[in-house]
Amino acid sequence: MPKLNENYQNLKQSYLFSEIAHRVAAYTASHPDKRIIRLGIGDVTLPLTSHAIQGLHAGVDAMAEAATFKGYGPEQGYGFLRDAISAYYANNKVAVDPDDIFISDGAKSDTGNISELFSADNTILIPDPVYPVYVDSNLMSGKKITYLSGNADNQFLPMPDSAVHADIIYLCSPNNPTGSVYSKAQLTEWVRYALENQAVILFDSAYEAFITDPELPRSIYTIEGSKKCAIEFCSLSKTAGFTGTRCGYTVVPKELTFPAFDGREMSLHAMWNRRQSTKFNGTSYIIQKGAQAVFSPEGMAQCQENIRYYQHNARLIADALRKKNIRFFGGIHSPYIWFECPNNMESWEFFDYLLNHAQIVGTPGAGFGENGTRYFRLTAFGTHENTEEAMERFEKLF
Ligand SMILES: *Cc1c(COP(=O)(O)O)cnc(C)c1O
């Protein structure tokens, strides 16, 4: 009989999206005449840009000829894509060595798999609320988590406590679900804290392309000293609508070395390379050709146009909340708007209220951690028309 990984018993039942689907289906069945508007999705809706499609086609065509056919590729990703990503960083005034970039099938896999590089006896800080992958991937391997409280008082941007030691710190900025973005001064404080504690920051910048204020850091590597303490995860999912196409990248600087118990230096870059080479056989060549096209100037301009489309929706939602005098977070440098449920409602209670009275589907904050219990997330990934109509309905409520 196999001895099972019983750490899986420590995972909370992941019922968020199935429970939402269940409640929406029940409502639709009893109110077939009502039109529901979904502002709960954490997924893009606009199709891929023409440039990305051209890149993908070029990849497909290469596969049809013996001279250009590709079999197994380099596990770390093709040089042409790593160079393109390095140039994209350089455009944002950040120096990242193409050699430090690892191409993957997305940031979810990488943020989940990275915990394999760390032993169980670490102090791991994870913000609450946040993207649930960090918590679950650590629980699966039996690790203990210390939560960093995000709340209205700290604008959902928890800061380090110098009295508390940490070894590993997860940060997500712009944040999912709160849409909050760390300033340069705040990230500088985190980097200083990490260096003092000899800790590693695992920085998820999946939404960096939504940042429009040039003063806000789009990469942890804008902060001095960060290459000695930070790994960065990014993805084409939200930048280029690749949620179904699948491509991400992770930067593991060679400067990230730590002494092992026996005193020998171990390199996180070398460990990640070994881990990926052993368990991952690379992202499809075709997808990498599509990704390369995304990082060309024309490709990026098209992506920015799509992002502006979503940002317009975010503004519509933010305007409606302002009119209702509801304090909200995010919505400017992020496709997410996060707000306290009105009238002291709990997040599932407000979910039902919004569904029943305005036929709007959002996401209860409780799905992202304890601190989300009285909060709610709306997303900008709908159409202009639907978002407008939803906000007209919203403004007529309570
Ligand atoms: C959407 C998202 C990602 C991207 O995941 P992929 O696997 O690349 O699609 C990463 N981090 C956060 C916080 C996200 O919301």
Side-chain angles (χ1 to χ4, degrees), residues 42-43 104-111 130-134 172-177 204-207 233-238 242-244 246-249 336 377:
D43 195 354
S104 71
D105 64 348
K108 186 192 236 187
S109 331
D110 287 1
T111 52
V130 86
Y131 185 54
V133 173
Y134 318 146
C172 178
S173 175
N175 188 274
N176 177 8
D204 186 341
S205 62
Y207 296 93
F233 304 90
C234 203
S235 166
L236 279 77
S237 283
K238 316 305 170 4
F242 266 46
T243 51
R246 312 302 308 141
C247 191
Y249 51 99
Y336 299 127
R377 190 189 78 174

Side-chain angles (χ1 to χ4, degrees), residues 76 85-86 89 94-103 110 114 200-203 205 219-221 226-227 230-234 248-256 268-269 272:
Q76 202 182 332
I85 292 170
S86 177
Y89 270 112
V94 178
V96 170
D97 184 345
D99 244 23
D100 289 351
I101 300 171
F102 293 81
I103 309 300
D110 287 1
I114 198 78
V200 179
I201 295 173
L202 304 175
F203 191 77
S205 62
S219 163
I220 187 83
Y221 302 123
S226 57
K227 287 202 180 138
I231 291 175
E232 180 159 284
F233 304 90
C234 203
Y249 51 99
T250 292
V251 180
V252 190
K254 285 187 209 70
E255 290 90 328
L256 279 173
L268 282 174
H269 182 279
W272 185 244

Side-chain angles (χ1 to χ4, degrees), residues 258-279:
F258 295 93
F261 193 67
D262 65 6
R264 283 196 293 178
E265 281 295 293
M266 288 182 83
S267 150
L268 282 174
H269 182 279
M271 288 171 76
W272 185 244
N273 193 29
R274 185 60 190 260
R275 191 267 167 215
Q276 291 297 80
S277 307
T278 302
K279 299 195 184 181

Side-chain angles (χ1 to χ4, degrees), residues 55-331:
L56 292 166
H57 277 302
V60 170
D61 289 343
M63 289 304 208
E65 305 286 339
T68 48
F69 169 78
K70 298 285 185 294
Y72 288 125
E75 289 96 346
Q76 202 182 332
Y78 282 97
F80 64 76
L81 181 54
R82 288 187 283 116
D83 288 345
I85 292 170
S86 177
Y88 175 67
Y89 270 112
N91 240 336
N92 294 320
K93 300 189 178 61
V94 178
V96 170
D97 184 345
D99 244 23
D100 289 351
I101 300 171
F102 293 81
I103 309 300
S104 71
D105 64 348
K108 186 192 236 187
S109 331
D110 287 1
T111 52
N113 292 330
I114 198 78
S115 75
E116 286 182 27
L117 305 193
F118 305 105
S119 86
D121 52 353
N122 279 299
T123 301
I124 303 172
L125 301 185
I126 300 183
D128 170 4
V130 86
Y131 185 54
V133 173
Y134 318 146
V135 169
D136 286 354
S137 58
N138 278 291
L139 291 180
M140 282 173 180
S141 50
K143 295 185 173 120
K144 279 198 293 294
I145 294 163
T146 306
Y147 291 96
L148 271 170
S149 177
N151 50 55
D153 291 339
N154 59 27
Q155 307 282 310
F156 289 93
L157 295 168
M159 294 302 297
D161 176 349
S162 55
V164 178
H165 168 79
D167 302 298
I168 296 165
I169 303 143
Y170 286 80
L171 297 177
C172 178
S173 175
N175 188 274
N176 177 8
T178 69
S180 304
V181 190
Y182 280 112
S183 69
K184 198 162 182 192
Q186 288 173 316
L187 282 190
T188 302
E189 215 174 302
W190 270 115
V191 166
R192 192 187 310 135
Y193 171 83
L195 291 171
E196 272 168 21
N197 281 269
Q198 289 190 290
V200 179
I201 295 173
L202 304 175
F203 191 77
D204 186 341
S205 62
Y207 296 93
E208 58 84 21
F210 281 79
I211 293 179
T212 46
D213 180 348
E215 293 301 310
L216 289 172
R218 293 170 60 161
S219 163
I220 187 83
Y221 302 123
T222 50
I223 312 297
E224 213 184 305
S226 57
K227 287 202 180 138
K228 288 195 164 63
C229 66
I231 291 175
E232 180 159 284
F233 304 90
C234 203
S235 166
L236 279 77
S237 283
K238 316 305 170 4
T239 304
F242 266 46
T243 51
T245 309
R246 312 302 308 141
C247 191
Y249 51 99
T250 292
V251 180
V252 190
K254 285 187 209 70
E255 290 90 328
L256 279 173
T257 66
F258 295 93
F261 193 67
D262 65 6
R264 283 196 293 178
E265 281 295 293
M266 288 182 83
S267 150
L268 282 174
H269 182 279
M271 288 171 76
W272 185 244
N273 193 29
R274 185 60 190 260
R275 191 267 167 215
Q276 291 297 80
S277 307
T278 302
K279 299 195 184 181
F280 181 62
N281 242 338
T283 304
S284 151
Y285 172 75
I286 298 167
I287 302 300
Q288 293 191 63
K289 288 302 283 180
Q292 180 189 22
V294 162
F295 289 107
S296 67
E298 307 89 317
M300 204 31 80
Q302 288 185 336
C303 290
Q304 279 300 330
E305 224 171 281
N306 285 357
I307 287 173
R308 276 196 295 274
Y309 182 93
Y310 297 133
Q311 281 166 335
H312 177 80
N313 290 340
R315 268 196 304 279
L316 293 175
I317 300 172
D319 288 347
L321 288 167
R322 256 185 229 108
K323 277 190 210 159
K324 303 296 278 183
N325 259 325
I326 296 172
R327 178 157 67 149
F328 64 91
F329 303 87

Side-chain angles (χ1 to χ4, degrees), residues 317-352:
I317 300 172
D319 288 347
L321 288 167
R322 256 185 229 108
K323 277 190 210 159
K324 303 296 278 183
N325 259 325
I326 296 172
R327 178 157 67 149
F328 64 91
F329 303 87
I332 303 167
H333 307 289
S334 157
Y336 299 127
I337 291 97
W338 177 256
F339 58 94
E340 198 170 6
C341 303
N343 302 330
N344 214 21
M345 271 187 257
E346 184 275 323
S347 69
W348 278 107
E349 192 184 351
F350 185 65
F351 175 90
D352 289 333

